[in-house]
Amino acid sequence: MKVKVSRKAHFNAAHRLYRKEWDDTKNYAIFGKCNNPNYHGHNYELIVSVTGEIDQETGFVVDMKILKDLIRSKIEDALDHKNLNVEVPEFKSLIPTAENIAIVIYNKLRPHVDSNKELEVVLYETPRNFVTYKG
Ligand code: NI
């Protein structure tokens, strides 16, 4: 019997979406306000879910305290109050869209979650825009 366990988290970060191969007109046409050369911030809401069998001794799929500490150390410490383009190595050559941020978050967490459990990352860039990545 598999159960999905979820933990919510939050971080603020700045970004700019652009491709250096494209001129300003095309960058603005594709990325709109997120192309602002001076960067801008988003209040990202994150939901990390782990799905798996319940441990018969603890009754847990995953210890929430461990999951909470993992999200803090691997994600919040790395991304919160950062300029993603400038300060986060993963985005040196990767456009920091919500899609790519979700994949980076997944890849940071995956090695620390039991391999027999499924990991899912849901990332809200705005209250109405969100993406989901499950590996
Ligand atoms: Ni943006």
Side-chain angles (χ1 to χ4, degrees):
M1 203 161 30
K2 287 190 172 181
V3 177
K4 176 171 161 179
V5 173
S6 302
R7 167 87 189 169
K8 283 187 176 179
H10 174 85
F11 59 93
N12 302 308
H15 75 168
R16 182 193 183 199
L17 305 185
Y18 74 105
R19 287 201 77 82
K20 61 181 185 306
E21 298 85 357
W22 294 350
D23 64 18
D24 290 351
T25 305
K26 181 160 185 182
N27 266 294
Y28 187 76
I30 300 295
F31 295 126
K33 286 183 175 175
C34 279
N35 181 238
N36 179 356
N38 296 316
Y39 304 96
H40 62 278
H42 289 282
N43 294 312
Y44 291 95
E45 296 287 345
L46 175 65
I47 303 172
V48 174
S49 299
V50 176
T51 303
E53 299 288 338
I54 297 172
D55 182 292
Q56 290 308 304
E57 289 183 311
T58 63
F60 295 154
V61 171
V62 60
D63 184 326
M64 276 292 191
K65 186 182 178 302
I66 292 172
L67 185 60
K68 172 186 165 185
D69 291 345
L70 188 61
I71 294 168
R72 178 174 299 156
S73 64
K74 302 298 174 191
I75 307 305
E76 294 174 11
D77 288 354
L79 305 182
D80 190 35
H81 285 74
K82 297 288 172 66
N83 180 319
L84 299 178
N85 302 71
V86 174
E87 296 177 277
V88 179
E90 286 86 347
F91 299 110
K92 286 278 186 261
S93 57
L94 182 67
I95 302 175
T97 57
E99 291 89 331
N100 284 332
I101 299 168
I103 291 170
V104 166
I105 291 170
Y106 179 97
N107 289 339
K108 282 176 176 288
L109 295 175
R110 184 68 264 189
H112 306 284
V113 174
D114 288 350
S115 57
N116 63 348
K117 297 192 170 102
E118 294 164 36
L119 176 64
E120 178 187 291
V121 169
V122 177
L123 182 69
Y124 283 76
E125 189 168 76
T126 73
R128 291 193 174 96
N129 296 343
F130 61 99
V131 302
T132 303
Y133 184 63
K134 300 181 189 184

